[in-house]
C-alpha cells in the first residue's frame, strides 16, 4: 500500500477525529482540552512532543530513520483555537461548548496535521531528517506563532522549510488555491488621541474643539491611501470607533479614535506608520491642539516563498491534476500569523477547498453556519505529507 492509498484508508478515521475536535472548541489561550486530545493521539502513535509551548501549544517531533542521508527539517503548522460563536445545534457533531465554535476550520487543520504526523511516523524508515508539527494556539486572538518562535520551536533542530494551509469555502472540496508572494496583509491597530481644551458651547473662542480636530484628522487620513499610495498597492485604513464629548452644549476637550491598518508590503507598512503619525500631529497643531497616534503592530504580512509555491504546485498537480489548482489573483487583506514562521524560514501557505454546493455546505468562514465537506481532510493530509517528504529530500 502506497502513502496515498494508506491515507485514503484513513478517511473515515479522519472524519471521526475532526468531529471530536469540532464538539470541543476552545477559545485562544484556553485550548486545554484540545491540547490534551492532541497529546493523546501523539502518545497513541508513539510520537514525541514538547508541551507546553506558548501556553497551550505543542511541538511534535518525528525523526526519519533512513540511513545514508542527512535530510532537512520541515515544519507543518496547525492552529487549534476556535471562535466566540454559538453553533447551529441541529448538527449531530455540533459544539458542546456554548459560545465557542470551530467556525474557521481549525478542527480540520488539527486533523490534517495529526493525519500527516501519523503517516510520516509510520514511514519514518523511508526518509531522513526531522519533521516538526506546530499545534499553535490563539491564531484568532493574540497570535500564538510569535510566542512559539520565541520559545524556540524553529530551532534544535533548525527548521529549513515550513508549510501551512487553511480550508477555504470559496472552493469545492478537491480544489487547491495558491498564490505566489503576498497572500495576507499585516494587521496593525491604531489608537489616535486628540487633545483640545473644553469649554462651554456658547463660547467656542475660549476653548479648542477636539471634535473639529478629529474631523480634520479623519479627512487627512482618508487621503493617505487615495493620494499617497500607488493604486496598484494593497492598503486599507479603516477607522472603526470615535469617542469624545460629554454633552450637547460642551466643546469636547478629548477625542479617541481607533482603527486598523492593513498592508501587504513591509516598506508601505513603514511609510503608513510614519504618515499616520505625521498627519495626526501636524493637523492638530494647525488647529491649536495636540494629537498623537499610537500604532500597535499586529501580524506581519504573509509572503510565500516562490520556490516553495512551485513545489506545492508540482506536488498537488501530481496528486489531483493541474485542472484542480487555482492561482489566487489578489491577496487577502485579512491577517494570518503563519507569517511569523515565514520570516524565519522559506515556506508556503495554501488554501484547501472545503465547500460542497450539492450538500449545501457553502457558508463563509467566521459564520455560525460554517461547515466543511469532510472529504477535504484526506486531500489535505495527502498534499501535506507528500510536500513534506519532498522538502525533506531537497
Amino acid at each position: 500500500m502506497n502513502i496515498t492509498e494508506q491515507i485514503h484508508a484513513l478517511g473515515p478515521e479522519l472524519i471521526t477525529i475532526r468531529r471530536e475536535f469540532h464538539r470541543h472548541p476552545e477559545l485562544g489561550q484556553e485550548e486545554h482540552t484540545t491540547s490534551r486530545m492532541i497529546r493523546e493521539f501523539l502518545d497513541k502513535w508513539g510520537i514525541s512532543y514538547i508541551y507546553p509551548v506558548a501556553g497551550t501549544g505543542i511541538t511534535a517531533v518525528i525523526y526519519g530513520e533512513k540511513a545514508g542521508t542527512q535530510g532537512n527539517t520541515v515544519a507543518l503548522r496547525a492552529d487549534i483555537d476556535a471562535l466566540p460563536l454559538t453553533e447551529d445545534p441541529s448538527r449531530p457533531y455540533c459544539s458542546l461548548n456554548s459560545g465557542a465554535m470551530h467556525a474557521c476550520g481549525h478542527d480540520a487543520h488539527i486533523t490534517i496535521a495529526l493525519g500527516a504526523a501519523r503517516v510520516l511516523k509510520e514511514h519514518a524508515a523511508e526518509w531522513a531528517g526531522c519533521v516538526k508539527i506546530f499545534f499553535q494556539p490563539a491564531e484568532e486572538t493574540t497570535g500564538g506563532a510569535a510566542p512559539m518562535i520565541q520559545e524556540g520551536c524553529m530551532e534544535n533542530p533548525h527548521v529549513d522549510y515550513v508549510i501551512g494551509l487553511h480550508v477555504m469555502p470559496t472552493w469545492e472540496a478537491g480544489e487547491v488555491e495558491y498564490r505566489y508572494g503576498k497572500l495576507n496583509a499585516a494587521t496593525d491597530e491604531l489608537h489616535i488621541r486628540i487633545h483640545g481644551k473644553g469649554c462651554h458651547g456658547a463660547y467656542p473662542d475660549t476653548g479648542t474643539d477636539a471634535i473639529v480636530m478629529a474631523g480634520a484628522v479623519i479627512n487627512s487620513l482618508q487621503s493617505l491611501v487615495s493620494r499617497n499610495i500607488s493604486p496598484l498597492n494593497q492598503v486599507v485604513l479603516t477607522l472603526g470607533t470615535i469617542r469624545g464629548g460629554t454633552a450637547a452644549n460642551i466643546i469636547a476637550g478629548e477625542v479617541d479614535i481607533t482603527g486598523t491598518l492593513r498592508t501587504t508590503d513591509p516598506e508601505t507598512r513603514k511609510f503608513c506608520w510614519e504618515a499616520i503619525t505625521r498627519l495626526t500631529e501636524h493637523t492638530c497643531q494647525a488647529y491649536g491642539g495636540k494629537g498623537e497616534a499610537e500604532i500597535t503592530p499586529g501580524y506581519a504580512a504573509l509572503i510565500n516563498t516562490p520556490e516553495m509555491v512551485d513545489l506545492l504546485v508540482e506536488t498537488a498537480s501530481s496528486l489531483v491534476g493541474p485542472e484542480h489548482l487555482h492561482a489566487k489573483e489578489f491577496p487577502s487583506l485579512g491577517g494570518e500569523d503563519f507569517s511569523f514562521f515565514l520570516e524565519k524560514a522559506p515556506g508556503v501557505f495554501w488554501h484547501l477547498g472545503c465547500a460542497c454546493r450539492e450538500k449545501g455546505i457553502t457558508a463563509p468562514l467566521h459564520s455560525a453556519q460554517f461547515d466543511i465537506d469532510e472529504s477535504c481532510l484526506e486531500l489535505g493530509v495527502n498534499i501535506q505529507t507528500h510536500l513534506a517528504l519532498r522538502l525533506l529530500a531537497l
Side-chain angles (χ1 to χ4, degrees):
M1 182 182 295
N2 63 31
I3 287 176
T4 296
E5 291 172 340
Q6 181 182 357
I7 294 170
H8 179 64
L10 288 175
E13 186 174 352
L14 294 174
I15 291 172
T16 299
I17 292 171
R18 179 258 170 173
R19 292 187 178 187
E20 195 61 24
F21 281 106
H22 192 86
R23 290 186 183 98
H24 300 94
E26 295 169 300
L27 304 182
Q29 300 298 350
E30 299 176 7
E31 309 98 327
H32 302 290
T33 298
T34 303
S35 183
R36 175 183 56 78
M37 291 167 61
I38 292 169
R39 284 180 279 125
E40 287 174 354
F41 281 111
L42 296 175
D43 288 334
K44 178 181 177 181
W45 300 329
I47 298 172
S48 62
Y49 54 85
I50 300 167
Y51 172 81
V53 183
T56 52
I58 303 165
T59 298
V61 183
I62 308 168
Y63 285 97
E65 301 167 3
K66 184 178 180 179
T69 56
Q70 183 174 349
N72 293 310
T73 297
V74 178
L76 282 67
R77 178 271 212 157
D79 36 14
I80 67 174
D81 56 322
L83 286 162
L85 292 172
T86 298
E87 185 174 10
D88 177 355
S90 66
R91 292 176 188 151
Y93 48 86
C94 74
S95 169
L96 300 178
N97 298 338
S98 179
M101 175 190 173
H102 273 300
C104 200
H106 294 188
D107 52 339
H109 302 168
I110 297 167
T111 303
I112 290 167
L114 284 171
R118 176 177 176 177
V119 173
L120 287 165
K121 175 66 174 178
E122 292 179 359
H123 289 265
E126 301 168 23
W127 55 271
C130 176
V131 172
K132 295 182 177 182
I133 315 286
F134 300 150
F135 295 96
Q136 178 210 305
E139 190 276 331
E140 300 286 1
T141 53
T142 56
M148 287 192 77
I149 293 168
Q150 291 166 5
E151 294 186 23
C153 73
M154 295 291 283
E155 304 300 331
N156 300 315
H158 173 75
V159 172
D160 298 298
Y161 305 104
V162 62
I163 316 168
L165 63 76
H166 204 297
V167 292
M168 193 57 60
T170 53
W171 292 103
E172 293 270 303
E175 307 299 306
V176 171
E177 183 178 61
Y178 64 92
R179 192 172 199 280
Y180 287 89
K182 304 168 185 176
L183 180 61
N184 289 87
T187 59
D188 300 320
E189 183 178 317
L190 311 181
H191 183 194
I192 296 171
R193 172 156 288 185
I194 295 171
H195 307 273
K197 180 183 177 183
C199 66
H200 195 285
Y203 311 103
D205 54 305
T206 64
T208 305
D209 196 331
I211 288 179
V212 170
M213 285 191 287
V217 168
I218 291 169
N219 284 333
S220 295
L221 293 178
Q222 290 303 308
S223 69
L224 172 60
V225 175
S226 65
R227 289 296 175 266
N228 297 108
I229 305 294
S230 166
L232 302 178
N233 198 347
Q234 297 89 13
V235 179
V236 168
L237 174 59
T238 295
L239 302 178
T241 71
I242 180 168
R243 296 181 177 88
T246 57
N249 64 339
I250 297 176
I251 285 177
E254 303 279 342
V255 170
D256 286 307
I257 303 170
T258 63
T260 184
L261 172 69
R262 305 297 175 103
T263 55
T264 58
D265 174 72
E267 288 301 314
T268 302
R269 185 188 193 191
K270 180 181 177 182
F271 171 82
C272 287
W273 287 3
E274 295 170 349
I276 291 167
T277 300
R278 182 180 67 253
L279 286 169
T280 300
E281 292 176 353
H282 291 181
T283 301
C284 292
Q285 286 173 8
Y287 280 81
K290 182 181 178 183
E292 55 199 33
E294 179 183 343
I295 301 173
T296 304
Y299 299 167
L302 192 161
I303 303 175
N304 279 324
T305 308
E307 295 80 7
M308 297 301 100
V309 181
D310 284 340
L311 201 62
L312 166 69
V313 170
E314 292 173 13
T315 303
S317 294
S318 69
L319 295 171
V320 298
E323 68 276 12
H324 294 291
L325 270 66
H326 310 276
K328 185 174 176 63
E329 186 175 7
F330 299 111
S332 165
L333 274 294
E336 169 55 70
D337 74 342
F338 184 81
S339 57
F340 292 116
F341 296 118
L342 285 172
E343 290 183 334
K344 298 297 181 181
V348 60
F349 191 82
W350 58 281
H351 296 156
L352 175 69
C354 67
C356 181
R357 285 159 185 80
E358 185 178 337
K359 299 177 184 176
I361 302 174
T362 59
L365 298 168
H366 289 223
S367 71
Q369 293 73 40
F370 176 75
D371 201 359
I372 66 168
D373 182 337
E374 291 167 315
S375 67
C376 75
L377 299 171
E378 183 182 321
L379 178 58
V381 174
N382 207 13
I383 293 176
Q384 292 294 76
T385 302
H386 280 91
L387 185 54
L389 288 169
R390 292 194 67 176
L391 290 170
L392 285 163
L394 279 184

